[in-house]
Amino acid sequence: MIIALLGFVATVNPAAAALALVRDRRTDRPRSVTAGVVVAATVLVALAAAADPILDLLDINLGTYRLGAGVVIAVAGLRWLVAGPAPACEEPDEDRRLAGFVAFPVLLTPGAVVLAVSVGAEHGWIEAAVGIVVAVILGGLGLYLRRSMPHLFMAGLVRMLGAAATVLGVIIAVDGVRTL
């Protein structure tokens, strides 16, 4: 359970979420951010709950999927580790567009998506849901409170979580190879 929790925090990367939007003087829109958090959490939990049918549909076993998922997570983590946070974007004017932006690409990262299916297939959707909810809420809080957090600290945290995601991805890939 702790590995799933840490894995989701590393793959969602709340620090990268906090740096996804420009720190301008606009008013905060908590409803839009909350809507994006709910959408992201719902999609990730649904993927975790449908993990076995997804693997059946892809006609692959869990070991093969974990190998691929580990590579995706390691590459995403390596990108954060080497390059740091992505350049910040302007905040969308419409509330629905902001909620959509918060959901994807800020919180629904490729690493979080593949980890949701992997954890859901191996440990069940309830264990995945706990990690997903914690990570996505942290990401939403980071995005909402982005103006009050020191930029240099958050940029360093992006790299640290990227390193954690890289290590986690290698562990998942090796575990996938072992179970083949």
Side-chain angles (χ1 to χ4, degrees), residues 152-171:
L152 254 124
F153 173 74
M154 296 309 287
L157 193 56
V158 168
R159 291 179 189 267
M160 187 184 83
L161 289 172
T166 303
V167 170
L168 177 75
V170 170
I171 290 169

Side-chain angles (χ1 to χ4, degrees), residues 32-33 35-41 98-109 143:
S32 299
V33 172
V37 165
V38 168
V39 168
L98 177 59
F101 181 77
V102 169
F104 178 79
V106 174
L107 299 175
L108 279 172
T109 63
L143 186 63

Side-chain angles (χ1 to χ4, degrees), residues 5 31 47 54 74 88 100 103 110 114 129 137 140 142 150 164 173 180:
L5 178 66
R31 286 189 296 195
L47 285 170
I54 289 171
V114 297
I137 287 174
L180 282 177

Side-chain angles (χ1 to χ4, degrees), residues 62-64 66-67 122 170-180:
L62 182 58
T64 304
R66 286 180 62 83
L67 174 61
E122 186 174 6
V170 170
I171 290 169
I172 291 172
V174 169
D175 185 56
V177 169
R178 275 195 354 223
T179 59
L180 282 177

Side-chain angles (χ1 to χ4, degrees), residues 16-33:
L19 297 176
L21 290 175
V22 175
R23 296 173 176 221
D24 55 10
R25 300 260 183 229
R26 294 183 188 196
T27 59
D28 291 323
R29 295 186 279 173
R31 286 189 296 195
S32 299
V33 172

Side-chain angles (χ1 to χ4, degrees), residues 23 144-150:
R23 296 173 176 221
Y144 182 69
L145 300 172
R146 70 187 179 276
R147 292 177 181 94
S148 63
M149 296 183 196

Side-chain angles (χ1 to χ4, degrees), residues 54-155:
I54 289 171
L55 294 179
D56 290 341
L57 182 68
L58 294 173
D59 195 27
I60 58 175
N61 62 15
L62 182 58
T64 304
Y65 184 83
R66 286 180 62 83
L67 174 61
V71 170
V72 169
I73 293 168
V75 168
L78 197 58
R79 187 254 173 244
W80 278 321
L81 178 62
V82 172
C89 299
E90 290 289 325
E91 186 174 328
D93 292 330
E94 297 174 19
D95 287 344
R96 277 193 274 159
R97 290 182 65 210
L98 177 59
F101 181 77
V102 169
F104 178 79
V106 174
L107 299 175
L108 279 172
T109 63
V113 169
V114 297
L115 186 63
V117 174
S118 178
V119 172
E122 186 174 6
H123 300 289
W125 71 273
I126 294 175
E127 186 170 323
V130 171
I132 289 166
V133 168
V134 169
V136 170
I137 287 174
L138 285 174
L141 280 173
L143 186 63
Y144 182 69
L145 300 172
R146 70 187 179 276
R147 292 177 181 94
S148 63
M149 296 183 196
H151 182 76
L152 254 124
F153 173 74
M154 296 309 287

